[in-house]
Amino acid sequence: MKILLIGASGTIGKAVAAELGARHDIITAGRSSGDVKIDICDPASIRAAYEKVGTLDAVVSTAGKVHFGDFTEMDDEKYRIGINDKLMGQVNLVLIGRHFVSPRASFTLTTGILTKDPIRYGSSASMVNGAVEGFVRAAAIEMEPGLRLNAVSPGVITEAMEGYGPFFRGHDPVPAARAALGYAKSVEGLQTGQVFEIF
């Protein structure tokens, strides 16, 4: 399969590239690195990336930025970081990308454990993750026949614990390589409208 991997330079992205790259042709993409440059906050950038790479068999997003901050200091601008990036960025990857993929292609988006298990400073992440999961479940039932849409929801990643550890006390971290299996299940399986939880 020909797979576009957005966020390929990140911790999860690298693990997904290693997992799927053993069997498929991976085109890496990111804001500042990769085979193709893409800013998921900019629909024109998304369209230009799709036009450059040609017809795809799968699109995988491990990208998405949110603002972590104390709720007492959160405001419209801080929440819109996640809304514009991790939520609408990933939604637009599907809305635009559906016109650039093969008839039986799949889209795989990324959410996270904070949907169901919130932490201090994580209200934006919880909100955005929940919205992405709602989009996946609802949009999947209206996709063109043959197209699939899923999300992967990993726990806090082991390799990221140095920075995130203080916020995830008591959590059992997930190695990036194990999280990558959820993406393989989405891309290489047949299910749609699912959120694959890797906790």
Side-chain angles (χ1 to χ4, degrees), residues 150-189:
N150 297 301
V152 177
S153 175
V156 61
I157 301 300
T158 302
E159 292 87 339
M161 283 299 282
E162 183 176 345
Y164 286 104
F167 305 104
F168 285 87
R169 296 301 185 205
H171 285 249
D172 186 9
V174 176
R178 182 150 65 87
L181 297 177
Y183 296 87
K185 185 175 186 178
S186 176
V187 170
E188 298 176 305

Side-chain angles (χ1 to χ4, degrees), residues 4-198:
L4 178 64
L5 174 59
I6 300 105
S9 65
T11 303
I12 296 177
K14 289 176 182 175
V16 172
E19 173 65 31
L20 289 174
R23 300 178 293 280
H24 305 289
D25 178 17
I26 304 295
I27 301 169
T28 60
R31 262 194 193 94
S32 56
S33 65
D35 300 318
V36 180
K37 301 294 191 298
I38 186 170
D39 178 0
I40 65 171
C41 293
D42 180 3
S45 175
I46 294 173
R47 183 172 297 278
Y50 279 127
E51 289 174 347
K52 182 174 182 180
V53 300
T55 304
L56 298 160
D57 300 303
V59 176
V60 175
S61 170
T62 61
K65 180 181 177 182
V66 299
H67 179 80
F68 284 86
D70 194 304
F71 180 70
T72 61
E73 299 173 0
M74 292 294 288
D75 56 22
D76 180 87
E77 182 180 359
K78 292 182 176 70
Y79 277 114
R80 287 192 184 278
I81 293 170
I83 292 170
N84 294 337
D85 197 306
K86 190 171 186 180
L87 174 55
M88 288 311 302
Q90 293 195 104
V91 168
N92 281 326
L93 286 172
V94 177
L95 294 180
I96 298 169
R98 60 188 167 171
H99 303 296
F100 293 90
V101 295
S102 62
R104 300 191 64 80
S106 69
F107 293 87
T108 306
L109 310 183
T110 295
T111 65
I113 193 171
L114 298 187
T115 308
K116 293 184 174 180
D117 195 358
I119 61 169
R120 185 178 183 185
Y121 304 134
S123 64
S124 177
S126 293
M127 177 186 76
V128 167
N129 286 349
V132 173
E133 292 184 11
F135 167 74
V136 164
R137 291 187 175 101
I141 66 174
E142 296 189 65
M143 298 279 279
E144 289 292 322
L147 295 183
R148 298 186 300 109
L149 171 62
N150 297 301
V152 177
S153 175
V156 61
I157 301 300
T158 302
E159 292 87 339
M161 283 299 282
E162 183 176 345
Y164 286 104
F167 305 104
F168 285 87
R169 296 301 185 205
H171 285 249
D172 186 9
V174 176
R178 182 150 65 87
L181 297 177
Y183 296 87
K185 185 175 186 178
S186 176
V187 170
E188 298 176 305
L190 294 177
Q191 296 187 65
T192 189
Q194 302 299 307
V195 178
F196 299 115
E197 297 180 343
I198 314 293

